[in-house]
Structure formats: C-alpha cells, structure tokens
C-alpha cells in the first residue's frame, strides 16, 4: 500500500522508485495503478512504469495493456484475453481521467457490445473529456440498454455532449428512451434546454405513450419547452394528441 501511495508523490524520484518497486512484486493487479505514470512528464518515471508493466504477470498482456493506454489498443484486440478485460474494467474506476478514457477506448475496441453499460455509466463522469468519449462510443454502439443513461446526457452542461447524447438516442430510436424522457419532463430538470431536448425527442418517438408527458410539458415554465411540446404533439398526431392541444 505505501508503494501505491508513493505513485502520486510530488517528487518524481519517489514516483520512479515506487514504480520500480511495484515491478518487483509480480502482482498483475497493480497494473491499473501504474498506468497514469505512462503519461508522467518525467521520462525516467514513464520508463520505470513501462518497465514495471512489462515485468508484471504475463508480459504479452502487460505490454498490450500498456500500449492500449498509450492510445494503441490493437494489441488487446489481437490478445483477446479475459484478463485484459478485467484489468480494463477495473481501470474505469481510476482517479486519473486519462486512464478512464483509455479504458473506454480499449474496452470498446476489444468487446464493444459486451461493455456498453460500462461505457454508459461514464457519461456522468466528472471529467468532460471522458464524458464526451463515452457519448461518442455510445453513438456508435447503438445499444437500447443505454437509452436511459443517454437521456441523462441531455442535461450535460457541455453543448457537445448534449449533441452526442441526442445523436446516440436517434441511432437507438427515441422510443427506447421514452420512460427516461418522460421522467425528465415530469421532474422538471432545472435546465430548460434539457427539458426542450426531451420534449423534442418524445415527439420524434412517434409513440402515443409520449402524449401524456407532452401534455404536462404544455404547462412548463419555459416558453421554448411549451412551443416544442405543441410541435411534438403535432408530429405524433392522433386523437389523444389533438385532445391535449385542446
């Protein structure tokens, strides 16, 4: 444990010594802790971390993981090893956003459909870069199981991420996100733009089940939301939508 703490020391010589010490333990479980040092500004620390990764466990796995976090995940695809997946899933919990983003890229390359939910939960990551990467990957995966999480992305403070979440929902089909979209409208997210996006998505769903939340949106405090609700009900059409419009 002291060695793991020392990896984050301000003094680069301490970080280097800690990496070298971990490399002697022959314990692959510490690899995710070493990965942030692959980005260390001190070349000697970076070199010690790379050497430690090579020493830990099966060298081919360690090398593939190290290369994945350097932006070259091809080795993981060739390896296709369950141990690599376990390491990557663990790295999603790293305190370093670069490692979390690297894990996202590598998991999506190695086993995209099997890890869509792992990717999805990082759309609420505290780091904007990680959230954007997660949203981009989800857009490509088009997995209906991620719809509810993508709806949360409509509330993101970043315009880019809101757009990516919208595009990903469109790829899946807005119907898949209907319950979460309705909840966002009913609960009244504090951001009127998020409510507007949810209302527009409900209209695009074309589902009669969207009529009631849209009826609710007609009384929203935001003029933009109310206007979008009118347009959405017009898109859905039918007797229930006409009745809501009065």
């Amino acid at each position: 444990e002291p060695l793991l703490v020392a990896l984050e020391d301000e003094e680069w010589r301490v970080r280097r010594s800690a990496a070298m010490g971990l490399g002697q333990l022959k314990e692959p479980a510490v690899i995710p802790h070493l990965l942030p040092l692959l980005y260390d500004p001190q070349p000697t620390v970076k070199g010690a971390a790379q050497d430690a990764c090579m020493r830990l466990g099966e060298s081919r796995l360690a090398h593939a993981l190290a290369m994945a976090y350097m932006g070259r995940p091809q080795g993981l695809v060739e390896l296709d090893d369950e141990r690599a997946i376990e390491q990557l899933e663990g790295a999603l919990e790293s305190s370093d956003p670069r490692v979390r983003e690297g894990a996202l890229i590598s998991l999506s390359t190695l086993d995209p459909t099997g890890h869509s939910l792992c990717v999805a939960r990082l759309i609420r990551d505290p780091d904007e870069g990680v959230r954007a990467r997660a949203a981009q990957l989800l857009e490509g995966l088009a997995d209906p199981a991620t719809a509810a999480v993508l709806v949360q992305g409509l509330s993101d403070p970043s315009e880019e991420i809101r757009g990516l979440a919208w595009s990903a929902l469109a790829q899946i089909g807005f119907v898949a996100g209907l319950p979460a979209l309705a909840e966002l409208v009913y609960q009244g997210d504090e951001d009127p733009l998020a409510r507007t996006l949810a209302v527009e998505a409900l209209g695009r769903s074309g589902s009669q089940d969207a009529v009631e939340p849209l009826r609710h949106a007609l009384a929203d405090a935001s003029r933009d939301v109310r206007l979008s609700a009118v347009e959405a009900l017009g898109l859905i059409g039918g007797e229930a939508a006409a009745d809501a419009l009065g």
Side-chain angles (χ1 to χ4, degrees):
E1 291 298 326
L3 286 175
L4 296 181
V5 174
L7 291 175
E8 301 182 9
D9 197 276
E10 293 182 1
E11 171 57 51
W12 67 266
R13 294 177 182 85
V14 175
R15 298 197 302 275
R16 181 187 62 185
S17 296
M20 294 171 64
L22 288 171
Q24 301 298 321
L25 294 181
K26 306 297 184 185
E27 180 51 65
V30 303
I31 290 177
H33 298 281
L34 284 162
L35 295 175
L37 270 65
L38 296 175
Y39 301 89
D40 199 278
Q42 282 289 338
T44 54
V45 176
K46 185 185 299 185
Q50 289 174 335
D51 183 65
C53 283
M54 292 298 294
R55 289 174 178 272
L56 291 168
E58 195 251 292
S59 61
R60 190 164 169 239
L61 166 60
H63 179 70
L65 284 166
M67 290 301 98
Y69 284 90
M70 300 290 283
R72 298 190 290 276
Q74 292 79 5
L76 285 174
V77 179
E78 296 168 4
L79 189 63
D80 196 19
D81 194 302
E82 288 186 5
R83 288 167 295 170
I85 293 176
E86 291 174 4
Q87 294 281 6
L88 291 167
E89 289 178 338
L92 289 174
E93 307 299 330
S94 170
S95 60
D96 191 310
R98 296 167 300 183
V99 172
R100 296 196 301 274
E101 186 172 353
L104 283 175
I105 297 168
S106 300
L107 273 174
S108 65
T109 303
L110 189 61
D111 185 10
T113 56
H115 292 88
S116 58
L117 293 179
C118 288
V119 175
R121 76 169 185 263
L122 289 186
I123 203 170
R124 302 302 287 174
D125 193 272
D127 182 81
E128 183 175 332
V130 175
R131 296 199 308 275
R133 179 71 69 176
Q136 288 170 351
L137 294 172
L138 289 171
E139 183 179 7
L141 293 177
D143 183 352
T146 66
V149 181
L150 285 167
V151 171
Q152 295 178 29
L154 299 179
S155 301
D156 197 277
S158 164
E159 182 178 352
E160 177 191 8
I161 295 170
R162 290 196 301 268
L164 288 167
W166 173 273
S167 296
L169 279 169
Q171 291 288 333
I172 294 169
F174 292 111
V175 173
L178 203 151
L181 290 166
E183 183 178 359
L184 193 157
V185 171
Y186 284 131
Q187 289 187 347
D189 187 286
E190 63 181 22
D191 182 1
L193 178 56
R195 301 198 303 275
T196 300
L197 290 172
V199 164
E200 291 176 356
L202 286 169
R204 297 284 188 90
S205 75
S207 171
Q208 291 295 316
D209 291 335
V211 171
E212 284 309 308
L214 289 172
R215 186 195 300 270
H216 180 85
L218 290 173
D220 194 276
S222 167
R223 180 175 181 272
D224 288 340
V225 174
R226 296 195 302 271
L227 288 174
S228 294
V230 171
E231 294 175 2
L233 286 166
L235 280 175
I236 292 174
E239 185 177 339
D243 179 68
L245 290 169

